[in-house]
Amino acid sequence: DVKVTQSSRYLVKRTGEKVFLECVQDMDHENMFWYRQDPGLGLRLIYFSYDVKMKEKGDIPEGYSVSREKKERFSLILESASTNQTSMYLCASRQTLKLFFGSGTQLSVL
Amino acid sequence: LAKTTQPISMDSYEGQEVNITCSHNNIATNDYITWYQQFPSQGPRFIIQGYKTKVTNEVASLFIPADRKSSTLSLPRVSLSDTAVYYCLVGDMDSNYQLIWGAGTKLIIKP
């Protein structure tokens, strides 16, 4: 079974801090994604990557950046966290149209 | 881009069949329809995928009419453990840009 692991289940950060969310997949998938999920808004795509060092903006990239130095690892970076970035963050990898998600990171920015 | 619309919530009872419909009026020729299930504090999990007509697996069926402007996820004989949020996803197999998520349907199963 595919395993997508997100490094933290819960994070509490302060406004202005730099935040790193890490995601690792074990199935050699080329495509990886970062979504955020807010009540009533479903899943919104922040960034995706289709190969090492390759990245593309999704629907809501503002305030975020990503890094993919190795195929199995895709990191989401909040350069200067703000309270409106309090959310559930979901990482996924893709095989055709089948997405495999991690358990999510609930980030609170105070 | 195909915009998807789902009911916000649904209730049913144990042992009943539940049907959740997703509308996607602008679905493109290359788009497939996929359904996911999400429990609290977990990521969504793949349930079923189809292109047209009917697909069945061990947990659900997916009905897609000929015009493909909607799809219906059918859960047979639900139990309390089927209480979850269900999402439809419309997208092209070959594109990361064109993955359009519905807002999700919160299904509550009562005893």
Side-chain angles (χ1 to χ4, degrees):
Chain A
D1 237 5
V2 176
K3 195 168 177 69
V4 178
T5 304
Q6 294 185 231
S7 54
S8 304
R9 292 298 301 270
Y10 301 96
L11 273 180
V12 180
K13 297 291 181 181
R14 296 206 174 274
T15 301
E17 278 194 80
K18 190 169 186 175
V19 181
F20 292 87
L21 302 183
E22 306 286 345
C23 175
V24 177
Q25 52 101 356
D26 66 356
M27 281 301 292
D28 204 37
H29 291 162
E30 293 179 346
N31 296 293
M32 296 187 73
F33 303 79
W34 275 105
Y35 287 92
R36 68 176 278 178
Q37 185 174 38
D38 301 287
L41 296 179
L43 281 81
R44 293 183 293 166
L45 181 63
I46 305 172
Y47 267 96
F48 67 89
S49 169
Y50 52 92
D51 205 346
V52 174
K53 297 190 186 295
M54 307 304 287
K55 60 187 180 184
E56 293 286 346
K57 294 179 180 178
D59 300 318
I60 51 164
E62 296 78 18
Y64 303 94
S65 62
V66 291
S67 173
R68 189 144 180 225
E69 296 297 317
K70 294 185 178 181
K71 194 173 186 178
E72 66 270 20
R73 187 179 297 271
F74 191 34
S75 303
L76 180 69
I77 303 154
L78 287 67
E79 295 289 342
S80 178
S82 64
T83 54
N84 63 12
Q85 292 179 309
T86 290
S87 185
M88 169 69 83
Y89 290 88
L90 290 162
C91 174
S93 68
R94 176 180 176 176
Q95 180 182 53
T96 60
L97 251 189
K98 202 168 179 177
L99 292 170
F100 299 88
F101 285 87
S103 297
T105 297
Q106 180 62 52
L107 173 67
S108 297
V109 182
L110 306 178
Chain B
L1 294 181
K3 180 178 177 180
T4 58
T5 305
Q6 304 174 233
I8 294 173
S9 64
M10 294 179 67
D11 291 352
S12 188
Y13 292 90
E14 282 191 294
Q16 299 294 306
E17 178 184 79
V18 171
N19 296 310
I20 307 174
T21 296
C22 180
S23 297
H24 28 79
N25 291 322
N26 298 319
I27 190 168
T29 303
N30 292 337
D31 287 343
Y32 280 68
I33 300 145
T34 312
W35 283 81
Y36 288 79
Q37 176 191 56
Q38 186 178 26
F39 297 113
S41 301
Q42 293 185 24
R45 183 182 68 165
F46 173 91
I47 303 174
I48 197 166
Q49 181 181 105
Y51 183 79
K52 61 181 178 180
T53 63
K54 177 183 174 182
V55 179
T56 298
N57 64 20
E58 63 275 10
V59 298
S61 295
L62 178 60
F63 298 92
I64 305 169
D67 65 5
R68 303 200 328 120
K69 292 186 176 182
S70 66
S71 57
T72 298
L73 174 71
S74 181
L75 304 172
R77 298 178 300 280
V78 293
S79 64
L80 296 177
S81 63
D82 291 314
T83 293
V85 179
Y86 292 82
Y87 290 94
C88 75
L89 170 64
V90 175
D92 186 331
M93 286 279 202
D94 297 322
S95 172
N96 287 326
Y97 292 97
Q98 308 294 336
L99 301 180
I100 309 298
W101 290 85
T105 298
K106 184 168 186 177
L107 175 65
I108 297 174
I109 305 301
K110 302 175 183 177

